Amino acid sequence: MTAQLVALSWDAHDPAALARFWAGVLRWESADDPRGGVALLPPDDTGFRIRFQPAEAEKISQNQIHFDLTSASPDAQQATVDRALALGGRHIDIGQSPDEDHVVLADPEGNEFCVIGFGNKFLAECGFIGALSCDGSQEVGYFWSAALEWPLVWDQNEETAIRSPHGGPKITWGGPPIAPKKGKNRLHFDLAPPAGGSQEAEIERLLALGATRVDIGQGDAEWAVLADPDGNEFCVLPQ
């Protein structure tokens, strides 16, 4: 078996407050995080937790990853929007047209997310978190398909998507044009070797697939920091 996606980690000025917002929006339960910060656990087949870790850096550009939340009906879409706004979210304009059927919001720290309209066929088989929508190249979609051993479920016009064989959200990459990377991403993937696997062996496998080692000031931390072919940081944790 290969590396597992165990968490989506968020940099946060106030991890506890941001965790409360997302726990309310997603209706997930909070839990102790073994590596500091605050964690949320999925009640469904999402397959990974969400971790909020303290960070001081300011948000300077649109995130490379955002949630696409699905809607079971038009009323459900409005209920999700209303719940997010009541918890401290806000409407934002990222250039979407007024006739689009999704609503673009930001959480209290400005992290973008979309509430998708009812009837979206691409996300029809997915849960409430329909997709982790990423800004990225076709090459990086191929990289993550190989890294996680998740099959490609979309590969057209340089747009790619993968999904775990066990279900959960899709991870999508929109292809060009790709926004220039400005500093460390606020959201990143945390991977871990499978039971009985070796962290170093996983690192070497990922490097062979096209990852690179990066230094973000982690020092002698027990996790390794790598970057995918688009330069997006991710961590490989010990077991």
Side-chain angles (χ1 to χ4, degrees):
M1 294 179 65
T2 189
Q4 301 170 350
L5 175 59
V6 295
L8 176 67
S9 286
W10 301 50
D11 288 352
H13 293 153
D14 188 337
L18 200 58
R20 284 194 296 272
F21 171 85
W22 281 105
V25 171
L26 300 176
R27 294 175 172 158
W28 288 19
E29 295 294 327
S30 61
D32 292 335
D33 181 32
R35 292 178 172 82
V38 185
L40 300 180
L41 300 180
D44 53 21
D45 66 354
T46 296
F48 56 85
R49 66 178 56 196
I50 301 173
R51 299 178 58 238
F52 301 90
Q53 55 192 19
E56 297 181 358
E58 296 295 329
K59 186 176 186 294
I60 58 175
S61 62
Q62 188 172 320
N63 287 337
Q64 183 262 344
I65 300 175
H66 71 264
F67 284 151
D68 283 342
L69 304 180
T70 62
S71 304
S73 68
D75 287 345
Q77 181 186 27
Q78 189 59 52
T80 300
V81 172
D82 291 344
R83 186 165 72 251
L85 295 175
L87 289 165
R90 58 185 172 87
H91 288 277
I92 58 170
D93 182 358
I94 59 169
Q96 69 271 25
S97 64
D99 60 344
E100 293 185 40
D101 68 352
H102 63 273
V103 179
V104 184
L105 303 174
D107 69 20
E109 294 200 7
N111 301 298
E112 307 85 2
F113 63 101
C114 293
V115 184
I116 305 299
F118 170 67
N120 184 286
K121 294 181 179 179
F122 182 67
L123 302 178
E125 61 199 30
C126 302
F128 184 49
I129 300 179
L132 305 183
S133 183
C134 306
D135 189 31
S137 66
Q138 183 181 53
E139 178 187 9
V140 88
Y142 293 165
F143 167 83
W144 281 107
S145 178
L148 297 174
E149 292 189 351
W150 290 9
L152 283 161
V153 295
W154 183 265
D155 185 11
Q156 294 185 27
N157 301 321
E158 298 188 73
E159 298 177 354
T160 52
I162 62 174
R163 191 180 187 217
S164 168
H166 305 293
K170 294 177 178 177
I171 306 179
T172 70
W173 292 270
I178 300 169
K181 190 173 184 296
K182 298 179 180 179
K184 177 180 175 291
N185 290 334
R186 296 188 69 79
L187 284 76
H188 71 264
F189 297 143
D190 283 342
L191 276 56
S198 162
Q199 180 190 32
E200 192 55 41
E202 273 306 310
I203 291 170
E204 292 303 318
R205 186 182 70 88
L206 293 163
L207 293 173
L209 289 172
T212 55
R213 294 183 186 267
V214 295
D215 184 354
I216 58 170
Q218 68 268 25
D220 58 356
E222 62 178 357
W223 57 87
V225 183
L226 305 181
D228 67 23
D230 280 359
N232 302 300
E233 306 87 1
F234 64 95
C235 292
V236 182
L237 310 177
Q239 286 188 341

